[in-house]
Amino acid sequence: GNSVTQMEGPVTLSEEAFLTINCTYTATGYPSLFWYVQYPGEGLQLLLKATKADDKGSNKGFEATYRKETTSFHLEKGSVQVSDSAVYFCALSKSSGGSYIPTFGRGTSLIVHP
Amino acid sequence: DAGVIQSPRHEVTEMGQEVTLRCKPISGHNSLFWYRQTMMRGLELLIYFNNNVPIDDSGMPEDRFSAKMPNASFSTLKIQPSEPRDSAVYFCASKWGPTADTQYFGPGTRLTVL
């Protein structure tokens, strides 16, 4: 079946540091890939997405590139801010019997210190 | 748009009581998901509706859990009887169509079963 593996957290960084959160997936064919972010006390919200190989999703300074050859969708940001502290979820969505059932990773907590 | 609406936001009940969680999806969305989030298990998909019809309920933990979607603008998740291990945050999410598109999450219901 489909699966998503994320690096374990928490990831702790100082403000303005470079961020990478690794995500790899297992799925047949070409799933769509997503990063969602969950701020404390809130639901998940879409951060960025990519729907085909070599696509780059970007939003709010975050980027991720759909790498089919390595089945990866790593999240990066050049300079993190305290306000980026949240839990980040990698996810895929792929057709199964005509339905698109999403698969989420376990989430990676990011803590940014001033 | 108001986004996905969930009620109540917090629920504290005693073991053995019936609990009903409610969700109003975004207008025009025809796919609806119920998730449970805990520290131990992360984010788990419980059930998925498409056009008000349950498509996949393999994530529902046991017969104590049931979900309904009587119309396109309302869904319920019921636990009867509730147990302490059901304590979690329950999220509802909706999206448009049977496609690999973005899900929109509600703010969640934090359930505590004493």
Side-chain angles (χ1 to χ4, degrees):
Chain A
N2 300 331
S3 67
V4 174
T5 303
Q6 293 181 233
M7 59 190 292
E8 296 254 348
V11 174
T12 304
L13 296 173
S14 297
E15 206 164 26
E16 298 184 4
F18 184 85
L19 168 71
T20 299
I21 300 178
N22 291 336
C23 170
T24 57
Y25 68 89
T26 300
T28 57
Y30 295 87
S32 293
L33 301 175
F34 304 80
W35 277 101
Y36 286 82
V37 58
Q38 183 181 28
Y39 298 104
E42 299 182 9
L44 282 69
Q45 57 186 274
L46 178 71
L47 180 60
L48 53 85
K49 67 179 180 181
T51 58
K52 60 182 188 294
D54 300 324
D55 266 3
K56 177 185 285 187
S58 61
N59 186 25
K60 301 180 181 180
F62 290 89
E63 292 183 340
T65 301
Y66 189 142
R67 301 286 188 200
K68 179 67 176 174
E69 63 277 13
T70 55
T71 61
S72 65
F73 193 54
H74 304 320
L75 182 68
E76 297 182 335
K77 186 175 186 183
S79 176
V80 293
Q81 306 300 312
V82 172
S83 57
D84 294 327
S85 298
V87 181
Y88 293 81
F89 291 86
C90 185
L92 69 82
S93 186
K94 188 178 179 303
S95 174
S96 174
S99 298
Y100 284 82
I101 297 178
T103 302
F104 283 84
R106 288 295 306 266
T108 302
S109 175
L110 170 65
I111 302 169
V112 181
H113 294 295
Chain B
D1 200 317
V4 176
I5 299 172
Q6 291 187 246
S7 64
R9 292 294 311 275
H10 302 274
E11 176 81 32
V12 180
T13 190
E14 293 191 346
M15 184 173 63
Q17 296 298 306
E18 177 180 297
V19 174
T20 300
L21 311 181
R22 297 173 176 78
C23 175
K24 177 178 168 55
I26 291 173
S27 177
H29 285 189
N30 59 0
S31 293
L32 184 140
F33 305 80
W34 281 101
Y35 291 90
R36 177 171 67 177
Q37 186 177 39
T38 60
M39 290 294 293
M40 290 295 293
R41 291 198 169 99
L43 194 67
E44 302 173 273
L45 176 63
L46 300 178
I47 188 168
Y48 160 42
F49 291 87
N50 191 44
N51 291 324
N52 312 337
V53 176
I55 302 299
D56 186 342
D57 65 354
S58 59
M60 296 285 264
E62 49 199 274
D63 291 346
R64 297 185 298 106
F65 286 69
S66 62
K68 294 183 180 179
M69 192 165 186
N71 57 62
S73 58
F74 183 67
S75 177
T76 59
L77 178 67
K78 186 177 292 187
I79 308 172
Q80 165 65 16
S82 58
E83 297 182 2
R85 60 194 167 117
D86 302 330
S87 297
V89 181
Y90 291 81
F91 289 103
C92 175
S94 69
K95 72 177 181 71
W96 181 86
T99 64
D101 208 346
T102 304
Q103 292 182 73
Y104 293 82
F105 282 75
T109 296
R110 181 172 294 277
L111 173 65
T112 303
V113 183
L114 302 174

